[in-house]
Amino acid sequence: RTVDIDLVHAQESRRILDRIIGFRLSSLLQQRLGSKSAGRVQSVALKLVVDREKEIQAFVREEYWEITAHLKKDDFPFKAAFYGKVDQKIKLNNQEETEKVVKDLENATYTITDITKKNRKRASRPPFITSTLQQDAGAKYNFNAKRVMMNAQKLYEGIDLGTERVGLITYMRTDSTRLSNDFVSQAKDFITEKYGSKYYKGVKQTKKSKNSQDAHEAIRPTNLEYTPEKVKKYLTTDEYKIYSLIYNRALASLMSDAIIEDTKVNIMANDYLFNLNGEKIIFDGYLAIYEETNIDQEQELEKIPELNIGDALALEELQTEQKFTNPPMRYTEARLIRKMEELGIGRPSTYAITMETLRLRSYVTMDKRTFIPTEHGILTSDQLQLYFSSIINVEYTAKMEKILDEISVGNLVWYEELRRFYDQFEPLVEHARDNMVKLYPKPTDEICPECGRELVIRRGPFGEFTACSGYPHCKYIKKEPKKEPVSTGVTCPVCGEGEIVERIANRGRNKGKKFYACSRYPKCKTAYSGIPTTQKCPQCDNIMVTLDDGTTICSNPKCKLEK
């Protein structure tokens, strides 16, 4: 077809913008802070992570208490939460207030006084686009964006199925939820034949994102005959998981709504009110094959038995629990991708690269799959905000995406927009070059043994190092003395011969983190997250370990019993 020159201009403008910002800022940060890189999208993503961490640090926790009644009817156990009085919610602020309520509940009869039932429809989600695939795979399988895209790429390029090589999915870098008519027709026959006609609904109207592009349809299986079970033996475990998600989500997007019965039950006990919120599936619809994972860890509703007003319930236990209000959750990859998508930052094809770059540049570390900014990451973001806040921010980055979209349809002139940007950006660079704090290289009083020039302290991806100031003509790097592991005085509980020493991980995703291991490594590969004790876990019989904050937990990560 005829080349669309407006699309060409939009693509060239994007590349030029990214190079101007990336090259100019990266060079500046390397010279001043020892930071490795900056970018139009990368630096805004870092700002989101840093801002969230500052919110968490500033958060003041408040104590509150919960009372949970463990009830039973006809051998069916369930839980109800304390509310207060009928006309007033009571907030329990401390143990004394809680114990007073518990005392008032002694010998109480738990009776159902009201039941409200309401049916609601739960519609299936649209088929996957790049960002939603990354979010769902992250929530379900703990896959990072890079791992998701690597396996999706293999499914797209083709899998050897014995007699033929087949591309199992459509192109996986897309932000369109459109499905081809051929696929919809095939899916209708497939769903009707396997589940019945009442399970098919067809294409649902979805709100199209302002920034979405429609060059590629949604991510879907190329042929429904290749079910996940049928091709499983030809796929790796990761490929099978990703293919199952894509296959089931595409089918589910065309299936009927599920019908859920929400039930709210009021339970009275000595003038105190307990609430029970439950749900029951009346018609499963698309839930027959697929249910999206919640990435915000919201509490699931109770599954409850058949209840009637006036029923007396048996009390099994009255449980009290001290709690504290929680700060905002740190970003996982899935949450950060969702946030960037909501704000209109970046494109689906760039999310995985952005996540990986933040880690590679040592701007963030990962803890329980969440991003924690490093000191250097915070410094880099703060300096960028000090000198480039008008460019490196959510609103401007989203606005730039809209400008590029307008260029792509011929509504804006590409070189005029680039000139407008450059005239604003270049003075900021010059101002920062003259005024930004210069942290690296730091002078020393040592002399290079190879060329006689002064040695300086530089910063690399793995922290500070001392090297010749004459680089690249002289590439001398001073070797730091190897640090001896610190002994804890605890004998290894596994081999009984070595002692447990404190070590720092020097590779992998836990690089830089402290752990405790046997001094006889590699003969004994025992390692713990804390100092081992002589106690055994009462649940799984593994060694209990004491963490740096004094908490004693089970060494088995799947147990994590706190003492």
Side-chain angles (χ1 to χ4, degrees):
R1 67 174 187 169
T2 304
V3 172
D4 186 336
I5 199 64
D6 291 326
L7 279 176
V8 174
H9 288 155
Q11 182 263 357
E12 288 179 340
S13 298
R14 181 183 295 276
R15 289 168 67 88
I16 292 168
L17 274 172
D18 288 345
R19 278 158 177 72
I20 291 173
I21 296 175
F23 290 173
R24 297 288 278 156
L25 289 188
S26 297
S27 173
L28 176 67
L29 293 181
Q30 286 167 14
Q31 294 170 15
R32 293 294 187 272
L33 307 179
S35 301
K36 279 297 177 182
S37 70
R40 184 173 62 88
V41 175
Q42 172 203 141
S43 297
V44 177
L46 175 61
K47 182 180 184 301
L48 290 173
V49 174
V50 170
D51 287 351
R52 176 56 57 87
E53 193 66 23
K54 290 179 178 178
E55 287 179 45
I56 293 170
Q57 297 300 329
F59 185 82
V60 179
R61 298 205 308 169
E62 293 182 7
E63 179 185 9
Y64 70 99
W65 286 69
E66 288 184 351
I67 302 176
T68 303
H70 292 256
L71 303 166
K72 184 181 283 189
K73 184 196 175 186
D74 300 333
D75 295 325
F76 194 113
F78 52 93
K79 294 178 290 186
F82 175 78
Y83 177 82
K85 299 287 186 177
V86 173
D87 56 350
Q88 179 189 4
K89 181 173 176 61
I90 297 177
K91 183 182 178 183
L92 302 172
N93 298 303
N94 51 53
Q95 186 173 5
E96 185 181 355
E97 293 177 4
T98 306
E99 288 177 350
K100 182 181 182 302
V101 172
V102 171
K103 185 173 178 60
D104 291 343
L105 287 168
E106 286 181 359
N107 304 317
T109 300
Y110 290 77
T111 307
I112 296 175
T113 57
D114 187 47
I115 299 176
T116 305
K117 293 184 178 183
K118 186 177 180 181
N119 285 359
R120 63 180 167 90
K121 291 183 178 180
R122 185 193 295 175
S124 60
R125 302 297 300 275
F128 281 130
I129 59 176
T130 308
S131 57
T132 52
L133 173 61
Q134 292 169 353
Q135 291 168 40
D136 212 39
K140 269 192 172 72
Y141 303 124
N142 296 344
F143 287 4
N144 62 33
K146 181 181 179 182
R147 186 174 174 184
V148 174
M149 297 309 290
M150 181 178 67
N151 285 285
Q153 181 79 34
K154 292 175 183 175
L155 296 171
Y156 168 70
E157 290 177 353
I159 300 294
D160 189 350
L161 301 182
T163 58
E164 59 181 340
R165 187 174 182 84
V166 177
L168 291 177
I169 64 170
T170 55
Y171 192 55
M172 62 284 157
R173 291 185 178 89
T174 175
D175 53 3
S176 169
T177 57
R178 174 177 57 84
L179 292 170
S180 71
N181 293 332
D182 289 343
F183 177 78
V184 173
S185 177
Q186 185 189 16
K188 180 180 180 180
D189 294 340
F190 186 92
I191 294 167
T192 302
E193 182 179 337
K194 187 170 182 178
Y195 298 98
S197 58
K198 66 178 181 178
Y199 278 84
Y200 179 75
K201 183 174 182 178
V203 178
K204 304 175 183 70
Q205 292 295 323
T206 57
K207 187 177 179 181
K208 188 176 178 182
S209 168
K210 292 180 181 179
N211 291 329
S212 68
Q213 297 178 344
D214 207 43
H216 303 282
E217 59 178 303
I219 309 172
R220 62 165 176 85
T222 54
N223 190 333
L224 289 173
E225 294 301 317
Y226 294 116
T227 64
E229 292 70 29
K230 187 175 181 179
V231 299
K232 184 176 182 179
K233 63 182 178 181
Y234 302 106
L235 304 176
T236 66
T237 302
D238 282 7
E239 289 167 356
Y240 172 73
K241 288 178 178 178
I242 296 298
Y243 183 60
S244 297
L245 280 182
I246 293 169
Y247 187 98
N248 293 333
R249 172 82 166 229
L251 263 186
S253 72
L254 298 169
M255 293 177 70
S256 301
D257 300 345
I259 300 176
I260 312 292
E261 181 186 74
D262 288 327
T263 303
K264 183 177 179 180
V265 181
N266 288 346
I267 301 168
M268 294 300 297
N270 284 2
D271 295 327
Y272 286 110
L273 177 65
F274 284 78
N275 282 338
L276 168 60
N277 294 309
E279 66 176 16
K280 184 165 67 174
I281 297 175
I282 305 299
F283 172 63
D284 56 359
Y286 77 93
L287 293 175
I289 62 169
Y290 178 83
E291 185 165 9
E292 187 179 34
T293 303
N294 192 305
I295 67 175
D296 289 324
Q297 302 172 350
E298 292 179 359
Q299 197 170 13
E300 292 185 1
L301 294 175
E302 284 281 311
K303 298 293 187 286
I304 57 177
E306 189 64 37
L307 299 172
N308 300 292
I309 294 175
D311 283 351
L313 306 173
L315 176 67
E316 297 287 302
E317 179 190 3
L318 209 56
Q319 179 186 2
T320 64
E321 186 176 4
Q322 181 191 35
K323 290 194 171 184
F324 293 89
T325 52
N326 292 318
M329 289 187 289
R330 288 190 175 102
Y331 287 112
T332 59
E333 275 203 2
R335 292 190 201 117
L336 185 55
I337 288 170
R338 182 180 66 182
K339 187 67 175 178
M340 292 173 68
E341 185 184 29
E342 287 174 356
L343 297 171
I345 300 170
R347 286 292 186 202
S349 58
T350 66
Y351 292 143
I353 298 169
T354 301
M355 306 294 126
E356 190 68 13
T357 301
L358 292 178
R359 284 191 290 266
L360 290 175
R361 301 297 185 247
S362 298
Y363 291 153
V364 299
T365 57
M366 302 299 290
D367 180 45
K368 297 178 182 176
R369 299 192 301 116
T370 62
F371 288 111
I372 301 178
T374 61
E375 287 185 17
H376 197 71
I378 294 172
L379 172 67
T380 301
S381 183
D382 287 348
Q383 288 295 304
L384 284 172
Q385 288 308 299
L386 189 59
Y387 294 98
F388 298 95
S389 59
S390 60
I391 300 282
I392 306 300
N393 65 66
V394 168
E395 293 77 16
Y396 188 87
T397 306
K399 177 185 173 184
M400 189 57 68
E401 291 291 348
K402 293 176 182 176
I403 288 173
L404 292 167
D405 286 339
E406 290 297 305
I407 292 172
S408 72
V409 294
N411 291 338
L412 293 175
V413 180
W414 68 280
Y415 55 82
E416 290 179 358
E417 296 305 318
L418 286 175
R419 168 55 66 187
R420 187 175 291 111
F421 163 76
Y422 191 79
D423 288 345
Q424 178 185 355
F425 178 69
E426 192 58 22
L428 297 177
V429 175
E430 295 305 320
H431 176 69
R433 194 176 298 282
D434 294 337
N435 295 280
M436 185 180 284
V437 60
K438 185 176 175 66
L439 297 182
Y440 296 96
K442 299 176 183 176
T444 70
D445 55 2
E446 298 179 71
I447 300 299
C448 175
E450 294 187 1
C451 72
R453 293 186 180 93
E454 180 189 15
L455 292 183
V456 294
I457 298 174
R458 300 184 186 277
R459 182 177 180 85
F462 305 117
E464 292 184 343
F465 64 97
T466 304
C468 181
S469 59
Y471 179 87
H473 303 293
C474 177
K475 298 182 180 179
Y476 171 78
I477 296 177
K478 180 182 176 182
K479 290 185 178 180
E480 298 295 333
K482 189 175 180 180
K483 293 182 179 179
E484 291 298 321
V486 179
S487 173
T488 64
V490 177
T491 302
C492 176
V494 176
C495 70
E497 297 180 32
E499 63 176 338
I500 297 298
V501 295
E502 179 185 304
R503 295 186 184 275
I504 302 295
N506 59 7
R507 65 181 65 182
R509 63 181 181 179
N510 292 320
K511 187 178 185 307
K513 283 191 176 181
K514 183 164 65 174
F515 69 101
Y516 298 87
C518 181
S519 59
R520 294 180 64 242
Y521 180 86
K523 290 184 179 179
C524 177
K525 297 182 178 180
T526 302
Y528 300 105
S529 59
I531 301 175
T533 69
T534 57
Q535 301 169 338
K536 292 287 187 76
C537 173
Q539 288 189 12
C540 67
D541 207 37
N542 278 286
I543 295 289
M544 299 288 283
V545 298
T546 302
L547 304 181
D548 290 347
D549 63 2
T551 307
T552 302
I553 66 170
C554 178
S555 59
N556 176 10
K558 294 181 179 178
C559 179
K560 290 288 186 183
L561 176 73
E562 285 196 23
K563 183 182 175 184

